[in-house]
Amino acid sequence: MSRVEIHGYAIVSDNDRIADAAGRTPDVLRNDADWAYFQAELNRSDVTVLGRLGHEANPNPRNRVRMILSSSSQGIEMRGDGWWWNPERLSWEEAIRRVLPHGGRVAVPGGRQVFDLFLGIGYDAFHLTRAEGVTVPDGIALFSECDEGKSAETVLSAVGLKPGPRQVLAAAAPVSLVIWQR
Ligand SMILES: NC(=O)c1ccc[n+]([C@@H]2O[C@H](COP(=O)([O-])OP(=O)(O)OC[C@H]3O[C@@H](n4cnc5c(N)ncnc54)[C@H](OP(=O)(O)O)[C@@H]3O)[C@@H](O)[C@H]2O)c1
């Protein structure tokens, strides 16, 4: 198959949470500079792969190509709002060959089950933004292993990724970005 490059994107709190206990993104994890960075990255991508809840919660005004994970899919099928994929019925290799037959760049913005799944499939890069000084009690972890006391950094290191320099996206808070790469 032609080359497929997989990039993960998340903004997390100091305790590695992507959402609050109710599954919503709290305001403390919303940041204009991170949003602008994320949107520019999506513009460079050929497909956005996300969980059904994130798909339903986030409108798609630019009509970007989406691949939505759901147990309701029979394997991979095109619906009005994008490709619907069930990894239990069809492998990633087969699914992405349908969506990007000539290869391309894949953006993975979560949520947690999707981030977990791609740890096994293999990220080429993970763009980890941190809202420094922010704690989200009882929230949804970036990776399941973070619930067992492992930091996001430990999990990313364990799958062979290495951190680049810390970049400050917004000085006031601060909000910082580290890109982990193979
Ligand atoms: N801070 C961040 O960077 C960040 C990133 C991502 C999301 N979020 C926030 O987190 C919340 C949503 O995340 P979430 O983790 O609760 O949900 P999610 O990943 O958006 O959606 C979960 C759903 O996706 C489907 N799914 C996921 N993995 C699957 C698999 N391996 N096989 C089959 N289906 C699968 C299932 O749909 P079915 O029920 O249809 O089977 C599951 O119920 C939202 O508030 C979102 O905004 C924040």
Side-chain angles (χ1 to χ4, degrees):
M1 185 171 68
S2 310
R3 172 99 179 109
V4 169
E5 216 178 278
I6 302 172
H7 291 250
Y9 298 89
I11 180 166
V12 299
S13 58
D14 278 348
N15 61 329
D16 296 321
R17 304 292 119 173
I18 59 168
D20 65 17
R24 289 181 299 255
T25 305
D27 287 345
V28 287
L29 290 182
R30 293 185 195 277
N31 177 269
D32 288 345
D34 174 63
W35 184 252
Y37 176 79
F38 176 52
Q39 293 300 310
E41 287 290 303
L42 291 185
N43 289 342
R44 301 174 58 192
S45 304
D46 298 296
V47 62
T48 307
V49 181
L50 74 176
R52 178 181 59 82
L53 295 177
H55 169 64
E56 289 172 353
N58 294 285
N60 186 14
R62 293 188 179 218
N63 282 320
R64 294 189 179 106
V65 179
R66 283 186 173 181
M67 194 171 171
I68 301 119
L69 275 88
S70 174
S71 56
S72 74
S73 168
Q74 298 307 306
I76 183 95
E77 69 235 11
M78 178 56 111
R79 299 184 191 169
D81 53 357
W83 293 93
W84 285 67
W85 172 45
N86 182 350
E88 285 179 14
R89 288 181 178 256
L90 191 76
S91 72
W92 166 249
E93 286 72 22
E94 290 172 279
I96 197 62
R97 200 179 301 135
R98 284 285 302 284
V99 176
L100 297 180
H102 305 296
R105 187 168 163 136
V106 175
V108 179
R112 184 188 51 199
Q113 293 172 63
V114 182
F115 286 136
D116 278 348
L117 180 76
F118 278 89
L119 284 173
I121 292 169
Y123 293 104
D124 294 285
F126 199 99
H127 304 240
L128 183 65
T129 300
R130 194 173 294 277
E132 296 184 10
V134 166
T135 302
V136 178
D138 304 323
I140 297 180
L142 171 61
F143 301 117
S144 298
E145 286 180 284
C146 298
D147 282 332
E148 297 158 18
K150 290 187 189 168
S151 68
E153 286 79 1
T154 300
V155 176
L156 292 169
S157 293
V159 294
L161 297 177
K162 295 184 176 51
R166 171 180 173 271
Q167 306 171 50
V168 176
L169 294 182
V175 172
S176 62
L177 167 72
V178 175
I179 303 174
W180 291 70
Q181 282 178 300
R182 206 151 278 293

